[in-house]
Amino acid sequence: MQELESCEICPHRCKVNRENGQIGRCRCNDKIKIALVSVHQYEEPCISRINGSGTIFFSNCNLNCMYCQNYEISQLGKGREILVEELADIFLEQQAKKVNNINLVTPTMYAYQIIEAIKIARKKRTRNSNNI
Ligand code: SF4
């Protein structure tokens, strides 16, 4: 992915080549890494509403907040690597659960992969709805 060859996704502008395994301040390489997929009933009521919020927690973070409540995920990188196609499937699985929204938690470092995953999910959804 060209945008990752000199990463300037966030204001840190590390300009590292994540495609070559270099890592910047966020410690992300070119792979998507997620820690948790869940239906979150306990976000603020305006977000969770009735069916809950379809959360996807991304691993690592471009910030280093001293009191991060998810530090194992954000600072220690806890999680598993997935392909962009798998992320698209996760979006669709969350949607199938009729969640009120898809809630991307700390997604900034993966913005371009997420855009690709949304495109794939939209294509798959269109294909599936043509079959109904
Ligand atoms: S996303 Fe990561 S590597 Fe890219 S500029 Fe921000 S901190 Fe640096």
Side-chain angles (χ1 to χ4, degrees), residues 6-75:
S6 179
C7 188
E8 296 186 75
I9 291 177
C10 81
H12 290 304
R13 294 187 164 172
C14 301
K15 296 188 179 179
V16 291
N17 188 344
R18 290 170 54 182
E19 289 286 357
N20 273 356
Q22 291 181 327
I23 54 172
R25 184 171 170 138
C26 65
R27 297 181 295 278
C28 296
N29 56 23
D30 61 329
K31 308 285 188 309
I32 305 168
K33 199 171 180 187
I34 62 168
L36 181 70
V37 177
S38 70
V39 176
H40 199 333
Q41 301 286 1
Y42 308 105
E43 287 280 24
E44 291 80 358
C46 61
I47 297 174
S48 297
R49 297 189 59 209
I50 296 167
N51 295 334
S53 181
T55 53
I56 302 163
F57 286 78
F58 290 88
S59 306
N60 298 314
C61 187
N62 57 330
L63 303 175
N64 304 108
C65 303
M66 186 179 289
Y67 298 110
C68 179
Q69 63 177 351
N70 293 326
Y71 82 96
E72 288 179 322
I73 298 170
S74 68
Q75 304 304 309

Side-chain angles (χ1 to χ4, degrees), residues 90-109:
I90 289 169
F91 289 155
L92 294 172
E93 286 162 16
Q94 290 286 51
Q95 187 179 42
K97 294 174 192 163
K98 302 197 183 304
V99 291
N100 290 113
N101 50 62
I102 302 291
N103 184 355
L104 307 178
V105 184
T106 320
T108 307
M109 311 78 68

